[in-house]
Amino acid sequence: MLARLFLQTSVWLAVMAVALFAPAGTVAWPEAWIFLAIIAGVGAAAGLWFARHDPGLLRERLSSPFQVGQPAWDKVFLSLFFALYLASCVVMGLDAARWRTTVMPVWAEAVGAGCIFASYAIIWRVLAENSFAAPVVRIQDERGQRIVTTGPYAVVRHPMYGGAILFLLGTPLLLGSSYGLVFVPLLVVVLAIRSVFEERMLGERFPDYAAYAEKVRYRFVPFVW
């Protein structure tokens, strides 16, 4: 499993590097290298930690983004999300490095890095609490899936999405692209609509989900939505 973790992480980093540096027209883009280093470092650390403490979860998260038993609508949402995200990388490379149409202050880039680290901290906590937090929407009957209501899930119903919003916001800030910020609300909308469909499926399969949703009223951000 560790070999698979290394391979998938390497492939994803390569894809991200091409999506950023190819439109940038140069590798002399320090912010992009910092961004990739954060992804690589945190990804490796998290992978090794979960390989030891929750190999079942890691196995799920290393599985294909398109699976048997996954609803067709989830495949559509995932495809749209990844297409938008990769498009944002291309735009950020053009904006921040090739054309230099945006000059982001250093403090804003630092805030972006902070958002990314905060995002990873939240997501790590979520994964530690919920062993069923797979990247695809699928009922894991073979693992005895249940509704998790503790930890971050006692605050919002989709804490991982809440953490992902910080990552989506922090990425264009760190990379120094104001045009990249345009994609943030689009990506959040995709996650929001996906969460509605996901909750409908959970409500149909788990009788206790309605009571949980009534108790924990917010999906992503407390007192917001």
Side-chain angles (χ1 to χ4, degrees):
M1 188 161 54
L2 290 180
R4 185 175 180 181
L5 170 66
F6 176 78
L7 176 61
Q8 289 190 204
T9 301
S10 299
V11 171
W12 177 242
L13 285 172
V15 170
M16 291 295 297
V18 171
L20 291 169
F21 290 122
T26 179
V27 295
W29 186 8
E31 293 86 350
W33 285 109
I34 293 172
F35 174 69
L36 293 174
I38 293 173
I39 292 178
V42 175
L48 293 173
W49 193 89
F50 285 105
R52 178 177 180 181
H53 295 280
D54 194 346
L57 171 62
L58 181 60
R59 191 174 296 109
E60 281 291 328
R61 298 202 63 80
L62 291 176
S63 59
S64 170
F66 302 105
Q67 302 179 21
V68 175
Q70 178 186 12
W73 53 260
D74 190 49
K75 297 176 182 179
V76 172
F77 284 127
L78 281 180
S79 298
L80 178 59
F81 183 86
F82 286 124
L84 281 172
Y85 185 73
L86 290 176
S88 74
C89 291
V90 172
V91 170
M92 288 186 284
L94 294 171
D95 173 32
R98 182 181 291 267
W99 298 332
R100 298 185 181 276
T101 48
T102 296
V103 179
M104 193 75 71
V106 175
W107 67 262
E109 294 181 352
V111 169
C115 286
I116 293 174
F117 279 115
S119 168
Y120 276 126
I122 292 172
I123 292 173
W124 196 316
R125 179 68 181 87
V126 170
L127 294 176
E129 191 70 29
N130 183 6
S131 182
F132 309 107
V136 305
V137 176
R138 182 180 70 84
I139 304 299
Q140 301 169 50
D141 292 320
E142 73 282 1
R143 299 184 64 216
Q145 182 175 349
R146 59 180 175 80
I147 300 300
V148 176
T149 62
T150 54
Y153 289 89
V155 181
V156 293
R157 302 199 297 271
H158 298 275
M160 184 175 293
Y161 290 163
I165 292 174
L166 286 175
F167 183 88
L168 297 175
L169 177 62
T171 299
L173 289 176
L174 172 59
L175 293 176
S177 172
S178 59
Y179 286 96
L181 291 169
V182 174
F183 287 85
V184 176
L186 300 176
L187 290 163
V188 172
V189 166
V190 173
L191 291 179
I193 299 175
R194 185 194 191 209
S195 73
V196 173
F197 278 78
E198 182 178 353
E199 289 193 344
R200 288 179 182 174
M201 188 175 77
L202 291 173
E204 293 172 356
R205 291 297 302 273
F206 298 99
D208 56 338
Y209 191 81
Y212 166 67
E214 181 66 24
K215 181 180 179 181
V216 180
R217 302 186 63 85
Y218 298 99
R219 284 189 173 97
F220 291 2
V221 182
F223 308 109
V224 178
W225 189 77

